[in-house]
Amino acid sequence: MTAEPARSARIRASDADREAVVEQLREAAAEGRIDLDELDTRLGQALSAKTYAELAPLTEDLVPIEVAIGEPLVIKGGMHGVRRSGVWKVPPVILAQGGMGGVRIDFTRAECRLREIALDVRGEMAGVRIVIPEGWTTHTDDLDPGLGGLRDRTTAERTPGAPLLRLTGSCGMGGVVVRHPNFRERRKLRALKS
């Protein structure tokens, strides 16, 4: 275990963090993955948890295995580029091809109930740019850096119940950038919520 996960495990949990775990536990009980006695026990532990380290074990055995039903979402940059942003429903599998114009995928307002999203990227000439909310994390070990390379500007601190974005494919010549929202984007998101 590295020093970073150990440090983040000591971070104090917020009411929203505890509520996210409670919701995940309720869903697991509704699906029959835990019985009502176990639900009561885990709910008590979740509501009294002070840190992420106390919350994480309550749901780590409940991560559902998502099965891709139907076709994956295919996003092609083509000649002029394409954006996927705003409110949209995230499927389990996404294919992004940068083409000549590039692809930008913004998950900050997306509806996502998945624990893991498979994103196969082909950076090609213009690359792929990805914006994920704070608390989401990425796994990029299976991504070929190509000529353009990968710039992962995300933090390793995952909010309990937040998705993991698993990147595969190749960065191509245009590269792949993954980041959290910048100051201007965060301000715009706050304005939309109020």
Side-chain angles (χ1 to χ4, degrees):
M1 178 177 262
T2 63
E4 185 63 30
R7 184 186 69 78
S8 65
R10 292 191 307 264
I11 293 177
R12 305 279 294 192
S14 69
D15 288 339
D17 298 328
R18 284 184 283 275
E19 192 56 43
V21 170
V22 165
E23 181 61 28
Q24 191 176 350
L25 291 170
R26 287 183 178 144
E27 287 176 14
E31 294 167 0
R33 291 190 283 149
I34 59 174
D35 62 30
L36 293 178
D37 290 335
E38 192 171 2
L39 173 65
D40 285 341
T41 302
R42 290 188 190 201
L43 285 176
Q45 292 170 341
L47 293 171
S48 64
K50 302 257 188 275
T51 65
Y52 285 118
E54 293 173 280
L55 285 175
L58 299 175
T59 58
E60 67 187 2
D61 65 337
L62 301 177
V63 177
I65 298 171
E66 296 295 340
V67 178
I69 299 172
E71 295 296 314
L73 172 64
V74 178
I75 305 171
K76 295 182 179 182
M79 291 293 289
H80 302 288
V82 69
R83 293 178 145 216
R84 175 58 70 121
S85 60
V87 179
W88 59 288
K89 187 169 179 159
V90 179
V93 180
I94 303 171
L95 305 175
Q97 300 171 347
M100 298 285 288
V103 168
R104 178 185 159 98
I105 305 172
D106 186 344
F107 290 94
T108 54
R109 295 182 57 210
E111 296 174 16
C112 184
R113 297 184 58 96
L114 304 166
R115 298 291 172 250
E116 187 171 307
I117 304 155
L119 175 53
D120 186 63
V121 296
R122 303 282 179 237
E124 297 176 344
M125 295 295 288
V128 177
R129 308 293 177 254
I130 304 160
V131 182
I132 62 173
E134 297 287 340
W136 286 31
T137 55
T138 59
H139 180 274
T140 59
D141 292 350
D142 300 322
L143 184 63
D144 178 2
L147 293 174
L150 167 70
R151 288 187 299 253
D152 186 351
R153 299 177 181 156
T154 61
T155 62
E157 296 177 13
R158 186 174 179 189
T159 302
L164 169 71
L165 186 64
R166 188 173 298 278
L167 292 161
T168 58
S170 172
C171 295
M173 291 181 67
V176 172
V177 175
V178 187
R179 64 178 177 81
H180 295 299
N182 59 32
F183 175 77
R184 186 175 52 100
E185 291 164 334
R186 286 193 308 269
R187 190 172 62 194
K188 185 176 178 182
L189 286 169
R190 280 193 300 268
L192 289 170
K193 289 178 181 176
S194 59

